Amino acid sequence: STSWTSVSAGAYFTCAHHASGAIYCWGYNDDGNLGLGDATERHTPAKVGTSTSWTSVSAGQYFTCARHSSGSIYCWGYNAYGQLGVGDLDPRDKPTKVGTSTSWTSVSAANHTCARHRSGSVYCWGDNSAGALGVGDNDNRTKPTKAGTSTHWTSVSSGDGHTCALHSSGAIYCWGYNASGQIGNGASLNLNTPTKAGTSTSWHKLATGGAHTCAIDTSGYAYCWGNNGAGQLGLGDTADKHVPTKITTTVN
């Protein structure tokens, strides 16, 4: 096919959104994370259910979440921490609706899940051992729970143990696991409420990795922070950075 519109790589499996509105997944499937109603791995793309009304998909750690054109979110796969958002800890091998809301605009799955609501709020659910849900404590949630108090978030991205979100002010706020500085506040203590990364209010896009974060500002410059043991911050060294640090390497 030459009609794929987006792709998301999870833990040993992949899901992609097709121009038809369908979602296809392939790879590891022990936890039902392909959403096909079984636990058999697939070596080629397999269609998830019958719907052709999906708008996006996000593959996480052995589970998947997707946004439907109705504004609902559906999740499936591994659920030991409540990351499917369906109110229990039972795995699902088919898409299962998250709550009753039809006002979700995006979803991001990792070890936990966060989603942006049309109100401008961000809600998170699942593993909260390091505060990645941003709800002010470290208790796991099996249903969407509001992160912080703001209603002015424009996007959200879930990492393995931390979360970052772009605010309408142009600032980035992060929360959760911070041992490598991935929250970007200059420290290394975990935080369970949204905390500003650096000082800039000129951010345009962001992405979270396992234990690091990168962002692009409105001038087109890229910055990264957090774990850098393999040089993943692109800064020419392997030292962790605890604040957003500009990538200065010339790329032709």
Side-chain angles (χ1 to χ4, degrees), residues 77-130:
Y78 188 61
N79 193 32
Y81 305 102
Q83 56 265 58
L84 301 188
V86 295
D88 58 43
L89 302 179
D90 298 328
R92 302 292 200 281
D93 59 15
K94 293 181 179 179
T96 306
K97 190 174 178 181
V98 177
T100 59
S101 178
T102 56
S103 297
W104 302 109
T105 63
S106 68
V107 62
S108 179
N111 264 332
H112 61 288
T113 310
C114 291
R116 182 187 178 274
H117 191 265
R118 189 172 294 135
S119 64
S121 297
V122 162
Y123 289 78
C124 299
W125 55 94
D127 185 3
N128 195 32
S129 56

Side-chain angles (χ1 to χ4, degrees), residues 61-183:
Q61 293 285 345
Y62 314 114
F63 77 103
T64 308
C65 293
R67 182 186 179 275
H68 191 264
S69 62
S70 63
S72 298
I73 288 173
Y74 291 76
C75 296
W76 56 92
Y78 188 61
N79 193 32
Y81 305 102
Q83 56 265 58
L84 301 188
V86 295
D88 58 43
L89 302 179
D90 298 328
R92 302 292 200 281
D93 59 15
K94 293 181 179 179
T96 306
K97 190 174 178 181
V98 177
T100 59
S101 178
T102 56
S103 297
W104 302 109
T105 63
S106 68
V107 62
S108 179
N111 264 332
H112 61 288
T113 310
C114 291
R116 182 187 178 274
H117 191 265
R118 189 172 294 135
S119 64
S121 297
V122 162
Y123 289 78
C124 299
W125 55 94
D127 185 3
N128 195 32
S129 56
L133 305 189
V135 296
D137 61 43
N138 288 56
D139 298 329
N140 296 346
R141 299 296 199 281
T142 63
K143 294 181 179 181
T145 307
K146 189 173 178 179
T149 59
S150 179
T151 56
H152 296 283
W153 304 110
T154 60
S155 68
V156 62
S157 182
S158 302
D160 277 359
H162 75 296
T163 305
C164 293
L166 183 61
H167 192 266
S168 62
S169 65
I172 286 174
Y173 289 77
C174 300
W175 55 92
Y177 192 60
N178 195 31
S180 301
Q182 54 265 59
I183 288 178

Side-chain angles (χ1 to χ4, degrees), residues 223-250:
Y223 292 72
C224 293
W225 58 98
N227 189 285
N228 196 30
Q232 59 264 51
L233 302 189
L235 304 171
D237 59 32
T238 57
D240 293 351
K241 299 296 188 290
H242 292 78
V243 294
T245 305
K246 191 178 192 178
I247 296 175
T248 57
T249 304
T250 300

